[in-house]
Amino acid sequence: DAGVTQSPTHLIKTRGQQVTLRCSPKSGHDTVSWYQQALGQGPQFIFQYYEEEERQRGNFPDRFSGHQFPNYSSELNVNALLLGDSALYLCASSLADRLYGYTFGSGTRLTVV
Amino acid sequence: DAKTTQPTSMDCAEGRAANLPCNHSTISGNEYVYWYRQIHSQGPQYIIHGLKNNETNEMASLIITEDRKSSTLILPHATLRDTAVYYCIVRVASNTGKLIFGQGTTLQVKP
């Protein structure tokens, strides 16, 4: 049973560029959340998608946007990249009506130079 | 901000029980205690959760004090592969909404 799949695994971008990260949820899951994890810190919640709608958002600027597709996969877009956007970006999936924990992917390591 | 307090780091000998404490003195009646761990270069992994009764699964045991203000995650026979950052999270039981991670406890299992 495939877990959460994220692509790419590593990415290097230049300041000011735009980036798109992708996530395929665990089979059967319908909810996708995105987290940013800076080096040495715990993950920080960016937003969550359910039924192709952004359901909840953390304290991140509008440069961070997302999308969920009918097959439940999701994209995270970041515009006008800053050096401070360098981090591990984690995707987590879950089933909305089940009382168990999230399943996380291994993340995309984004480096902004 | 995270609603939990954990020690920054702990060591444990391989084969011994690892006991990881967590303080959550402001926990509400409808909030559960969740534990996740993050092995280096991987995403967090769900371990266990509980409300007020002690819980056990194939990975660990969770002991919650009667006043629910603190809890302990127990790995009964720690192995080198249990070396990770362990996060204690308090939240309403749901598969929706955000997880608020603190700094966690870095557990180092030593041979």
Side-chain angles (χ1 to χ4, degrees), chain A residues 35 37 56 94 98 100 102, chain B residues 36 38 43-44 95-97 99:
Chain A
Y35 289 79
Q37 186 173 25
Q56 189 175 7
S94 59
R98 294 290 177 86
Y100 293 108
Y102 292 86
Chain B
Y36 284 78
Q38 187 172 22
N95 260 343
T96 63
L99 296 173

Side-chain angles (χ1 to χ4, degrees), chain A residues 21-36:
Chain A
L21 309 182
R22 295 175 174 81
C23 172
S24 292
K26 182 177 180 178
S27 177
H29 285 185
D30 57 7
T31 302
V32 173
S33 305
W34 287 91
Y35 289 79
Q36 180 195 65

Side-chain angles (χ1 to χ4, degrees), chain B residues 48-96:
Chain B
I48 197 168
H49 75 282
L51 181 63
K52 55 183 178 181
N53 297 319
N54 298 338
E55 301 288 344
T56 297
N57 63 20
E58 66 279 4
M59 291 183 66
S61 295
L62 174 60
I63 308 298
I64 302 174
T65 58
E66 191 169 344
D67 64 7
R68 302 208 323 122
K69 293 185 177 181
S70 65
S71 60
T72 301
L73 178 74
I74 301 172
L75 307 178
H77 305 287
T79 71
L80 298 178
R81 288 174 293 183
D82 292 321
T83 293
V85 179
Y86 287 78
Y87 296 100
C88 171
I89 297 170
V90 166
R91 64 187 297 261
V92 174
S94 172
N95 260 343
T96 63

Side-chain angles (χ1 to χ4, degrees), chain B residues 1 3-4 14 24 31-32 35 45-47 64-65 69 79 81 83-85 87 93 96-99 104:
Chain B
D1 290 343
K3 299 172 68 172
T4 61
E14 188 178 19
H24 31 79
E31 290 182 318
Y32 284 64
W35 283 84
Q45 176 190 24
Y46 165 80
I47 302 173
I64 302 174
T65 58
K69 293 185 177 181
T79 71
R81 288 174 293 183
T83 293
V85 179
Y87 296 100
T96 63
K98 61 184 177 183
L99 296 173

Side-chain angles (χ1 to χ4, degrees), chain A residues 20-99:
Chain A
T20 297
L21 309 182
R22 295 175 174 81
C23 172
S24 292
K26 182 177 180 178
S27 177
H29 285 185
D30 57 7
T31 302
V32 173
S33 305
W34 287 91
Y35 289 79
Q36 180 195 65
Q37 186 173 25
L39 202 60
Q41 304 295 316
Q44 299 294 309
F45 176 77
I46 302 175
F47 43 54
Q48 185 180 77
Y49 277 84
Y50 172 68
E51 292 187 337
E52 303 179 49
E53 297 284 336
E54 182 182 292
R55 177 156 56 177
Q56 189 175 7
R57 188 178 184 93
N59 189 26
F60 280 80
D62 292 344
R63 298 187 297 109
F64 290 77
S65 63
H67 187 78
Q68 186 180 33
F69 299 94
N71 67 352
Y72 307 119
S73 67
S74 177
E75 289 182 348
L76 164 65
N77 301 291
V78 186
N79 295 322
L81 284 167
L82 304 174
L83 297 179
D85 295 331
S86 295
L88 179 68
Y89 287 85
L90 295 161
C91 172
S93 72
S94 59
L95 192 58
D97 65 348
R98 294 290 177 86
L99 199 64

